[in-house]
């Protein structure tokens, strides 16, 4: 038999397991139009729902007249808050412990807010019905600036007026949500007072939006005969949605089946619960028919979860030689009309307290004030777990600001402050235990790869030429060394609505030796069907091609908390390895029985168990699988299945070193990204090609955010970026070319040593692009300037610095 002579290496390669750049199995469907997205779901007699939305950012709703709308052919019902109130469904709980109007209840708090829900026989009739609903508004003063909101007499949340306690402690003002403090305030202030050098700056990370290719949507189908509700939707956390729907609707959880079909990108946008879900469920119960709701692009950009909008006031203290001695940060967080941030319960500002970054900073203090304004609610990740991208932007900008103050090279300043390899596990001043890292090695590799010293020489020459009038283009060199925190998370400190953030995997091996594994996570494009099979292939010796990965159906998948915060690999990936090990343990007993030796006398060898010391006596996993169903083995149950619910002991801390070289035209404000180098360390790598794709995608989103993407409002609260004409999405024309690289520092607590990677490129690239812009103007005295660095803003910088003659 060919199999018997194959070397272990050849057998191993045949499995396409860990470390293999296996082609994405899902792409056969995706590239041939065989994907199955929410909008592809068409059920018998299905109706459509659409929203009447508020044109005002702040107004009283005086009256809603649905009479004309109900006359529109095809319109069957129009729901308003008055219809939902008797069911207790006119408000819904948010992930952040606040509550949010499902449909406008007396007033509206942001432009685009849901006011009424029209149900009709098709999309077009629903749209006509929306036009025909007459709403009378009475405008109220608008607050779009969080600092003004904290001073203003205008009460945004009248439902909370007089409530001095919020979900996260005391409220200081009627537009204040919470204060969150971490670290040692007194010690930090003392260090600041006594330091050789203190650099201080306001770092603003503007409001943006994940804007996935596919917008949010759902199909709710209530079967009145069986009493079973099936809810298809673009959910990044299907099980959590099932529990939430059960809690707020009163429908028993076993009678709810939530299915996330294929998802066309999530990026955090599809974590929260939206009014469209609640209204569709109610409409299906009322009409007895399936009801579909799918946002259009404007709906998505105006009303579903935004990201960032953090004003971060920083102070960083150092010795004259550049050794950082302390960090202070106060953040004003603009949460919009409702606090609907998607963060673990105990972390109202997410993991913002990772803002000490990659540096060994002895003392630090962070405080965050959450504020209501007349903007859309949300506050999701957008490819950075729980405010990590804000934290990374803050510290990586502060390092640059400090380098200016010290008149030091920013690469060297980073190097002398990095946490050293021998300091891991490292306890940070703001409360995290970094699991592993080797920052110096990564940094040196990165600087060498780009030829850092030569780049600085070229930059200096260019500056001379510029001053001599020979060129109008400057060179900026952007540096970033980021530390991410992903894999929420230990159940002891991370939960969402009380649900501990473990994750799960269940495996069934079929008699012929192929398998299915189901997980509590859900891919939105990451390629889980490809990579989780690779983990299993290496763990249990069955080729990845013979393993089906299934996610997203709560009737079949084990309970899990879903996919966001790059938690799938650190948590569900670990569960997969652990479940695989349970399979292997039983397989070992079966093999020993078949080989008539003691359990301890066989050992695992790639795809089989061999008798120790006698490689010619073995049973392959295929044979073992068959025996599990075919032989009565004393003391063993038939079958070969396992399930693991994994509660990680810690998060994982991926990191990376990014370097960007940019040319900036001083007269037009235009930029050209000449090169972008990204070194990522995500521990053990499962699929290098998928990792590379993740870096390309995430860095492109980072490029968009840093260089143009913005959710902007005018003073009246009008949303200025509700279409793709105004909201910048880079095409292949603008997208830079990336050079990727890596080091491997495994996570010591993860069963296969893997850390997450999906978010890293966004966390790392935004400060890198921004630092490049700042660096170009450093010789002319630029210290800080707010993103996005679009052509107009860059032109303004140059103009403000007197570079236009
Ligand atoms: N070491 C390692 C790691 C990792 N990996 C791979 O990679 C990926 C990713 O992973 P992760 O990192 O773990 O993550 P996940 O969890 O899976 O996912 C999540 C993420 O992911 C990213 N990416 C992506 N992609 C796509 N395509 N799409 C999408 O949507 C998305 N999103 C984004 C986001 S935003 Mo958030 O939600 O904001 O929080 S978070 C996020 C997968 O496949 C895995 O397996 C490998 O291989 N290796
Ligand atoms: Cu995030």
């Amino acid at each position: 038999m060919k199999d018997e002579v194959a070397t272990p290496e050849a057998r191993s390669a045949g499995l396409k397991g860990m470390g293999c750049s296996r082609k994405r199995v899902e792409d056969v469907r995706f590239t041939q139009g065989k994907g199955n997205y929410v909008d592809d779901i068409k059920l018998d007699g299905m109706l459509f729902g659409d929203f009447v939305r508020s044109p005002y950012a702040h107004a009283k709703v005086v009256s809603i007249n649905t009479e004309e709308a109900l006359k529109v052919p095809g319109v069957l019902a129009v729901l308003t808050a008055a219809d939902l109130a008797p069911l207790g469904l006119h408000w819904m709980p948010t992930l952040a412990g606040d509550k949010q109007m499902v449909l406008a209840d007396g007033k509206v708090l942001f432009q685009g807010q849901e006011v009424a829900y029209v149900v009709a026989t098709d999309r077009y009739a629903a749209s006509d019905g929306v036009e025909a609903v007459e709403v009378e508004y009475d405008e109220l003063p608008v607050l779009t600036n969080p600092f003004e909101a904290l001073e203003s007499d205008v009460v945004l949340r009248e439902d909370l007026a007089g409530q001095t306690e919020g979900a996260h402690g005391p409220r200081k003002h009627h537009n204040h949500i919470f204060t969150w403090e971490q670290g040692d305030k007194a010690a930090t202030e003392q260090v600041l007072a006594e330091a050789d050098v203190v650099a201080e700056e306001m770092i603003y990370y503007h409001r943006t939006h994940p804007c996935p290719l596919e917008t949010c949507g759902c199909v709710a189908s209530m079967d009145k005969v069986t009493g079973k509700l099936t809810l298809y939707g673009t959910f990044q956390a299907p099980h959590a949605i099932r529990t939430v729907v059960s809690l707020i609707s009163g429908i028993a959880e076993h009678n709810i089946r939530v299915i996330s079909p294929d998802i066309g990108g999530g990026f955090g946008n599809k974590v929260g619960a939206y009014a469209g879900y609640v209204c569709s469920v109610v409409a299906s119960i009322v009409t007895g028919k399936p009801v579909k709701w799918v946002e259009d692009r404007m709906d998505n950009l105006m009303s579903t979860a935004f990201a960032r909008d953090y004003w971060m006031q920083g102070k960083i203290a150092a010795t004259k030689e550049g050794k950082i001695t302390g960090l202070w940060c106060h953040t004003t967080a603009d949460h919009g009309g409702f606090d609907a941030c998607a963060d673990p319960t105990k972390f109202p500002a997410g993991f913002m307290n990772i803002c000490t970054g990659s540096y060994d900073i002895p003392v630090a203090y962070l405080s965050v004030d959450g504020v209501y304004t007349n903007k859309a609610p949300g506050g999701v990740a957008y490819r950075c777990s729980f405010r990590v991208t804000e934290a990374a932007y803050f510290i990586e900008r502060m390092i640059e600001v400090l380098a200016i103050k010290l008149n030091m090279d920013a690469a060297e300043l980073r190097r002398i402050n990095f946490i050293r390899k021998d300091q891991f596990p490292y306890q940070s001043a703001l409360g995290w235990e970094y699991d592993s890292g080797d920052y110096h090695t990564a940094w040196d590799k990165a600087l060498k790869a780009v030829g850092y010293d030569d780049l600085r020489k070229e930059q200096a020459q260019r500056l001379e030429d510029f001053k001599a009038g020979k060129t109008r283009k400057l060179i900026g060199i952007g540096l970033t060394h980021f530390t991410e925190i992903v894999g929420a998370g230990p159940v002891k400190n991370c939960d969402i609505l009380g649900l501990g953030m473990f994750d799960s995997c269940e495996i069934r091996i079929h008699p012929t030796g192929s398998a299915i594994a189901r997980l509590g996570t859900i891919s939105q494009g990451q390629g889980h069907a490809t990579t989780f099979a690779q983990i299993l292939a290496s763990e249990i010796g069955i080729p990845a091609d013979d393993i089906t990965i299934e996610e997203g159906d709560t009737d079949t998948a084990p309970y899990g908390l879903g996919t966001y915060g790059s938690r799938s690999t650190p948590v569900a990936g670990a569960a997969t390895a652990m479940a695989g090990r349970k399979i292997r343990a039983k397989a070992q007993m079966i093999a020993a029985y078949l080989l008539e030796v003691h359990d301890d006398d066989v050992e695992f060898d790639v795809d089989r168990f061999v008798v120790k010391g006698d490689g010619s006596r073995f049973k392959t996993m295929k044979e073992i699988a068959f025996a599990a169903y075919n032989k009565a083995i004393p003391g063993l149950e038939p079958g070969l299945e396992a399930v693991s619910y994994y509660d990680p002991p810690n998060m994982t801390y991926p990191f990376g070193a990014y370097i960007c070289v940019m040319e900036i035209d001083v007269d037009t404000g235009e930029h050209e990204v000449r090169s972008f180098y990204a070194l990522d360390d995500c521990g053990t790598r499962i699929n290098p090609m998928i990792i590379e794709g993740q870096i390309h995608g995430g860095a492109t989103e980072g490029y968009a955010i840093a260089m143009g993407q913005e959710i902007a409002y005018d003073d009246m609260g009008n949303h200025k970026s509700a279409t793709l004409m105004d909201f910048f999405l880079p095409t292949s024309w603008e997208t830079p070319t990336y050079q990727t690289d890596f080091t491997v520092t495994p996570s010591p607590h993860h069963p296969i040593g893997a850390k997450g990677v999906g978010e890293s490129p966004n966390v790392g690239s935004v400060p890198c692009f921004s630092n490049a812009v700042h660096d170009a103007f450093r010789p002319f005295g630029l210290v800080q300037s707010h993103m996005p660095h679009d052509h107009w803003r860059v032109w303004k910088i140059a103009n403000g610095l007197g570079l236009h003659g």
Side-chain angles (χ1 to χ4, degrees), residues 236 266 268 381-383 526 528 531 565-566 568-569 684 687 694 757-758:
Q236 288 184 237
Y382 187 7
R383 212 165 186 144
Q526 292 88 343
H528 291 176
T531 54
S566 269
S568 305
T569 303
T684 308
N687 183 322
Q694 287 290 317
V757 78

Side-chain angles (χ1 to χ4, degrees), residues 134 214 229-230 269 297 439 444 588 610 664 716 734 801:
E134 292 162 17
E214 177 204 27
L229 170 71
T230 306
N269 189 230
R297 183 59 59 193
Y439 302 163
D444 291 342
Q588 179 165 5
V610 298
I664 291 183
M716 293 171 69
E734 291 97 355
L801 294 171

